Amino acid sequence: MTAPIPRDIPDLPAIPGIPAPVTSVVPATAVVAPTRRPLAAKFRALVALAAAGAVVTEMALGSPLRAFCHFSVQSTALVALVFAVSSRRAWSARHPLPSLVTGGTVLYAVITALVYHLLLTRDASAFSLSMPVTPTNAPASSPTGWPAVTDAAFHTAIPLAVVADWLLLTRPSPPRLSHAAAWLLYPIAYLAFTLGRAALLTPDWPAPYLYPFLDVDRHGYKSVLGNALLLGLAFYALALLLIAVDHLRPDPVHPRRGRPSRHDRRPENRISSPATSGLK
């Protein structure tokens, strides 16, 4: 007679000298191809065209070099570039841009809008942070004509479109906390550029400082650096808020599928058993 076959065969012990099999992990995107998103692609293409048009118009209204030295113009040019690439990727069903790039673009667009509406268009505060200015930094009560169009595009329309795309058309891809510090490198570099540029210009150059709260001739380096420190802390807090919202907000693209995996844990399909023992 033969012995009955047991229902559960225990794991065989590992053979000495033979390493245990390694779990093969394949990203889910290698098995399931990303889908095309024509609506997101078309919206981002329109935003990219509007941002590029605003930058070109602003540079054509006066000195192109001086116009491009403004933070609002640079951030809008970044929006045009990032949204053009994102539109192409959404249309061709390619992987989206990393959260380090998209999150930074959202942060700089929001900074542009908040600084303009909360500081530059209000009466001078106790810190003398603001005065009414046009997009080219020329003192005026209210711009008219094409300057008014670019003013509204830089500081209101484009930032609102960027935030709307992030909340309604972008899947949550929570950035790391370290990204908040990385995003501040650009504002710090811009501060150094602005102060260095003003120091190199000749005394007869009109309005060497691009923003009133960075005017060393008016406030001195101590007050300007203090203002920059306060703004830097506010920007860092805003970056942390952006990261927190991206962790908590729902997925607008596939609400039924739930949130995607964490940025440091890719969706995976296991090809072999995760057992670490010998044959099974």
Side-chain angles (χ1 to χ4, degrees):
M1 296 180 62
T2 58
I5 300 176
R7 294 183 178 179
D8 297 328
I9 300 178
D11 293 341
L12 297 177
I15 301 176
I18 299 180
V22 179
T23 301
S24 177
V25 178
V26 178
T29 53
V31 181
V32 181
T35 58
R36 293 177 65 250
R37 301 177 57 203
L39 177 61
K42 293 177 182 179
F43 178 78
R44 291 168 184 170
L46 290 176
V47 175
L49 289 175
V55 171
V56 172
T57 302
E58 180 64 25
M59 296 177 68
L61 291 176
S63 171
L65 183 59
R66 176 179 174 81
F68 199 75
C69 289
H70 287 81
F71 186 92
S72 57
V73 179
Q74 294 180 13
S75 64
T76 306
L78 177 64
V79 169
L81 176 61
V82 171
F83 270 60
V85 176
S86 297
S87 173
R88 180 178 178 83
R89 287 174 176 258
W91 184 264
S92 57
R94 297 179 61 187
H95 302 300
L97 291 174
S99 58
L100 178 64
V101 176
T102 56
T105 304
V106 174
L107 177 64
Y108 302 145
V110 173
I111 287 175
T112 299
L114 291 181
V115 170
Y116 179 79
H117 289 287
L118 298 181
L119 296 179
L120 295 177
T121 58
R122 292 181 175 272
D123 296 334
S125 65
F127 298 99
S128 298
L129 287 175
S130 62
M131 65 176 60
V133 293
T134 65
T136 56
N137 205 44
S141 57
S142 59
T144 57
W146 283 109
V149 174
T150 57
D151 180 86
F154 287 140
H155 307 109
T156 304
I158 300 299
L160 286 177
V162 171
V163 174
D165 175 84
W166 176 57
L167 292 176
L168 303 178
L169 298 175
T170 304
R171 298 198 68 185
S173 180
R176 302 179 181 180
L177 288 177
S178 59
H179 289 175
W183 291 335
L184 289 184
L185 294 178
Y186 170 49
I188 293 174
Y190 182 80
L191 172 65
F193 161 75
T194 300
L195 297 181
R197 170 186 174 275
L200 294 176
L201 294 178
T202 57
D204 58 342
W205 190 271
Y209 294 98
L210 301 175
Y211 295 98
F213 50 82
L214 298 179
D215 192 338
V216 174
D217 295 338
R218 181 182 178 188
H219 307 296
Y221 276 102
K222 183 177 180 180
S223 297
V224 166
L225 294 179
N227 294 338
L229 178 60
L230 293 176
L231 288 176
L233 293 176
F235 296 163
Y236 185 71
L238 183 61
L240 294 179
L241 177 61
L242 185 149
I243 294 175
V245 171
D246 214 4
H247 276 81
L248 299 175
R249 69 186 180 95
D251 185 356
V253 180
H254 300 294
R256 295 183 179 180
R257 298 183 185 178
R259 294 178 53 83
S261 301
R262 289 174 48 186
H263 62 277
D264 56 347
R265 294 182 182 177
R266 292 185 176 181
E268 59 187 41
N269 292 321
R270 296 189 180 275
I271 304 303
S272 64
S273 171
T276 57
S277 60
L279 300 175
K280 185 174 181 179

